[in-house]
Amino acid sequence: MQVVRDLWSGERVDFEGEYFKIQDLSLRPFSVAQPYPHIYLGGASDPAQILAAQQADVYFLNLTRLKVA
């Protein structure tokens, strides 16, 4: 998610992860939304909710009850 945010904000990106490698990549044209477009996530699984809490700007609910601690 951070790689996508960096690219959307106009930065040049270098990244090496478990599954892919990026060297000196940038996106054009730049996003009109600054610093980057809103990130929307949804899902009812625990991992989806955790990811959304950490990374998303908007979380889609699927009208099921959420577990509240």
Side-chain angles (χ1 to χ4, degrees), residues 8-69:
W8 279 343
S9 66
E11 296 181 30
R12 298 192 79 78
V13 174
D14 291 308
F15 174 82
E16 186 167 349
E18 185 175 350
Y19 300 105
F20 64 94
K21 181 178 182 178
I22 296 171
Q23 291 181 307
D24 197 32
L25 180 67
S26 63
L27 294 179
R28 300 289 187 273
F30 294 121
S31 172
V32 174
Q34 290 298 317
Y36 52 81
H38 290 298
I39 295 175
Y40 292 75
L41 292 176
S45 70
D46 289 341
Q49 291 175 27
I50 292 167
L51 179 63
Q54 294 171 344
Q55 301 287 332
D57 298 305
V58 178
Y59 177 65
F60 286 112
L61 298 173
N62 64 358
L63 301 178
T64 60
R65 291 183 182 219
L66 295 175
K67 293 180 223 169
V68 178

